[in-house]
Amino acid sequence: MKITNGQQHYLNAIRQNKKTTIEMTNKAAEVKKQSEQTSVEISDEAKKLAQANLAAAPSEKAKAIKQAIQNGTYQVSTEKIAQSIVNHITEQKKAAE
């Protein structure tokens, strides 16, 4: 007859925890190894598109608006904003019909 006080269950839990930790460590190392081998190449078309976007970046109008905001002289037209909201709602209603 073997008498135990629950230590075997405790020891099994510790063994399982160690096993899980080792497995997770191995998986993490494998993922890291795979990510180190990943490479990305940018096509010529993508490079040209990026250059075009940089060239067309902030227009003169955008620069002027930014400067006015920084100076505190930018005037917001509440009428234009309200009209745009009304136009947008009208378009949504037409599209829903």
Side-chain angles (χ1 to χ4, degrees), residues 2 18-19 33 41-42 44 46 52 74 93-94 97:
K2 186 174 183 181
K18 285 182 181 179
K19 181 179 176 183
K33 184 178 178 182
E41 293 184 25
I42 300 173
D44 291 335
Y74 183 72
K93 284 183 180 180
K94 288 180 183 177
E97 293 175 349

Side-chain angles (χ1 to χ4, degrees), residues 57-75:
S59 65
E60 292 302 318
K61 183 177 180 180
K63 288 179 185 178
I65 291 171
K66 182 177 179 180
Q67 187 65 36
I69 291 171
Q70 289 175 348
N71 294 337
T73 59
Y74 183 72
Q75 298 293 321

Side-chain angles (χ1 to χ4, degrees), residues 21-95:
T21 303
I22 291 170
E23 288 173 357
M24 291 176 63
T25 303
N26 291 342
K27 286 181 182 178
E30 184 178 326
V31 168
K32 183 179 179 185
K33 184 178 178 182
Q34 288 175 351
S35 68
E36 289 173 352
Q37 295 174 354
T38 303
S39 64
V40 176
E41 293 184 25
I42 300 173
S43 67
D44 291 335
E45 293 83 16
K47 290 176 185 176
K48 290 177 185 176
L49 180 62
Q51 289 174 349
N53 285 340
L54 287 176
S59 65
E60 292 302 318
K61 183 177 180 180
K63 288 179 185 178
I65 291 171
K66 182 177 179 180
Q67 187 65 36
I69 291 171
Q70 289 175 348
N71 294 337
T73 59
Y74 183 72
Q75 298 293 321
V76 178
S77 173
T78 55
E79 293 82 14
K80 286 183 180 180
I81 293 172
Q83 187 60 47
S84 294
I85 292 171
V86 170
N87 291 344
H88 186 70
I89 291 171
T90 304
E91 289 175 13
Q92 284 182 337
K93 284 183 180 180
K94 288 180 183 177

